[in-house]
Amino acid sequence: MFLLQSPLMNTNGFSTLPVGVGDFVLLSVKTLFIIGALLYLVFAFVVTRQIQVMRSTVITPFSTTVQILGFVHLLMTLAVLILFITIL
Amino acid sequence: MPDIFDGSKKKPSLTSAESIQLDKISEADDSVEDFDLNPFDSKNTSDVTQPTAIRDVDDYSEVMRRETSSNNSLKSFVAKPTEIFFDSQHSQEKVLLLLRRHPVTQVGWIITAIFLAILPFLFSAVGLLQFLPSNYQFAATIGWYLLIIGFSLESFLSWFYNVYITTDERIIDVDFYNLLYKNISAAKIDNIEDITTEAGGVLASVFNFGTVKIQTAGSVTEFDFEDVPQPAKVTAFLNEMLLEEEREQLENRTN
């Protein structure tokens, strides 16, 4: 906790930072969040594709549910990416 | 020269009773010529080995006779499923047993996921993310839970699609190691040479699961059915399958 509170920060947030530095840090954090969400979107897409491949490899009554889970996960990831772009 | 060698002499005429007897003998000879010695002909049922129809698994397997048919694909021991198939399955091939790792072996990642899920509450309790604005804290929490969902989904898929299938012809090992790598191996039942069961540890003893190692003659020489439930039962069933394959070959049955 102490290490995270660098000399530029205190427990009240970025309000005491010099003008411009706080914005730069927040912009960097926002960029990292969005890049992370984009990478996760790729992962979610691969999961969906892999479920489709495995669904044709082993055919079970539960396969449809698994595929729905994969699509829900992909949609959630997309929603989170949009959320990050919107609120940050 | 006796008369019998004299072909110029007329043959003695037969009485009516003698001619009827000769006709009967002739008919009998004809019937012998018509008799088909093809052992696969269903007419010849006396002393020739007959090819019989492919038998149901309950007819030759004591293990399967005691099991009820199930289509619950979330179980780790699914006997005689009727709605579970695989892509390289032959038209006459029946799935007799589908195995997965015992559910107890999955407790590790479930506990990890639960622990990770309560971690943000601990963070907020000690104020670890207080240096960030509230919208950033919210985004971090949402992202964190998304990662946990992804981790859980990936772990579940690894368990769900890592299956061991036994059909009436083959054993198939479908390995779903991770999202980018899968491996499917198959061996014919009559190529099985040795079956070994390994079970060790407290959990394996309490919950009755273990690894069934199958040595085969082929390119893939060993199949490991890892942490499957009731390994003794699986071994017994595979032995019954081997015996049935040998019986099929002896009786000249095709499968």
Side-chain angles (χ1 to χ4, degrees):
Chain A
M1 186 175 168
F2 176 75
L3 290 173
L4 287 170
Q5 288 179 348
S6 69
L8 294 175
M9 305 173 192
N10 66 11
T11 50
N12 297 321
F14 293 96
S15 57
T16 59
L17 289 174
V19 178
V21 176
D23 289 343
F24 174 74
V25 173
L26 284 180
L27 189 68
S28 303
V29 173
K30 180 182 176 177
T31 310
L32 284 174
F33 268 99
I34 291 169
I35 289 171
L38 278 169
L39 288 173
Y40 195 86
L41 188 67
V42 174
F43 165 75
F45 181 74
V46 173
V47 169
T48 314
R49 281 293 302 145
Q50 195 65 35
I51 289 172
Q52 283 176 344
V53 171
M54 291 310 291
R55 194 188 170 198
S56 59
T57 304
V58 182
I59 302 147
T60 69
F62 196 70
S63 297
T64 311
T65 312
V66 175
Q67 190 163 31
I68 290 168
L69 281 174
F71 279 124
V72 167
H73 179 237
L74 182 65
L75 288 174
M76 278 169 58
T77 309
L78 203 62
V80 167
L81 176 66
I82 294 167
L83 184 80
F84 283 0
I85 293 169
T86 313
I87 67 166
L88 295 181
Chain B
M1 184 180 283
D3 289 347
I4 56 167
F5 297 110
D6 189 358
S8 63
K9 285 194 176 178
K10 193 181 174 184
K11 289 177 182 174
S13 61
L14 297 169
T15 61
S16 61
E18 285 171 336
S19 63
I20 290 167
Q21 203 171 353
L22 276 175
D23 287 345
K24 281 183 179 173
I25 291 167
S26 171
E27 280 172 13
D29 287 345
D30 289 345
S31 66
V32 168
E33 283 169 11
D34 289 344
F35 187 75
D36 190 355
L37 290 175
N38 181 5
F40 299 101
D41 193 340
S42 60
K43 288 185 291 185
N44 309 324
T45 56
S46 55
D47 56 348
V48 182
T49 305
Q50 292 299 307
T52 51
I54 297 167
R55 296 197 298 169
D56 191 72
V57 65
D58 288 348
D59 296 339
Y60 58 84
S61 171
E62 186 69 32
V63 174
M64 281 296 138
R65 211 174 296 143
R66 289 175 185 168
E67 295 293 327
T68 51
S69 180
S70 171
N71 281 312
N72 185 354
S73 46
L74 285 173
K75 284 168 69 178
S76 54
F77 188 99
V78 189
K80 296 181 283 185
T82 54
E83 294 176 12
I84 294 176
F85 310 96
F86 58 98
D87 58 349
S88 59
Q89 188 172 352
H90 303 152
S91 57
Q92 298 293 319
E93 196 174 11
K94 275 186 195 170
V95 175
L96 302 179
L97 184 63
L98 181 131
L99 298 165
R100 286 193 186 91
R101 284 172 183 265
H102 196 283
V104 169
T105 60
Q106 305 304 303
V107 169
W109 69 260
I110 293 170
I111 289 173
T112 306
I114 292 169
F115 174 73
L116 292 174
I118 58 173
L119 217 54
F121 295 103
L122 298 176
F123 282 177
S124 65
V126 297
L128 196 67
L129 297 174
Q130 288 299 314
F131 65 93
L132 285 171
S134 59
N135 55 341
Y136 280 75
Q137 288 181 31
F138 177 68
T141 309
I142 292 287
W144 181 256
Y145 281 113
L146 192 64
L147 284 173
I148 295 169
I149 289 170
F151 165 72
S152 304
L153 185 63
E154 153 74 2
S155 303
F156 170 76
L157 290 176
S158 291
W159 173 78
F160 186 75
Y161 283 120
N162 207 334
V163 292
Y164 313 107
I165 300 168
T166 306
T167 72
D168 51 356
E169 293 177 22
R170 297 181 288 167
I171 52 169
I172 296 113
D173 181 359
V174 181
D175 288 326
F176 180 87
Y177 291 115
N178 55 49
L179 291 173
L180 303 173
Y181 182 72
K182 66 168 183 170
N183 178 37
I184 301 168
S185 313
K188 293 191 81 173
I189 296 283
D190 49 8
N191 280 344
I192 293 175
E193 291 182 337
D194 185 48
I195 304 166
T196 315
T197 307
E198 274 184 6
V202 178
L203 277 180
S205 301
V206 171
F207 293 99
N208 188 19
F209 67 87
T211 299
V212 179
K213 293 187 170 185
I214 304 163
Q215 302 275 344
T216 60
S219 56
V220 180
T221 53
E222 185 165 312
F223 287 74
D224 287 350
F225 289 4
E226 290 172 8
D227 299 334
V228 292
Q230 307 179 65
K233 198 180 270 186
V234 174
T235 308
F237 174 60
L238 288 171
N239 281 322
E240 287 173 339
M241 293 292 295
L242 269 176
L243 284 174
E244 176 60 12
E245 279 296 317
E246 285 173 11
R247 204 175 293 128
E248 275 181 6
Q249 285 172 1
L250 285 173
E251 294 175 3
N252 203 15
R253 278 186 281 143
T254 52
N255 196 359

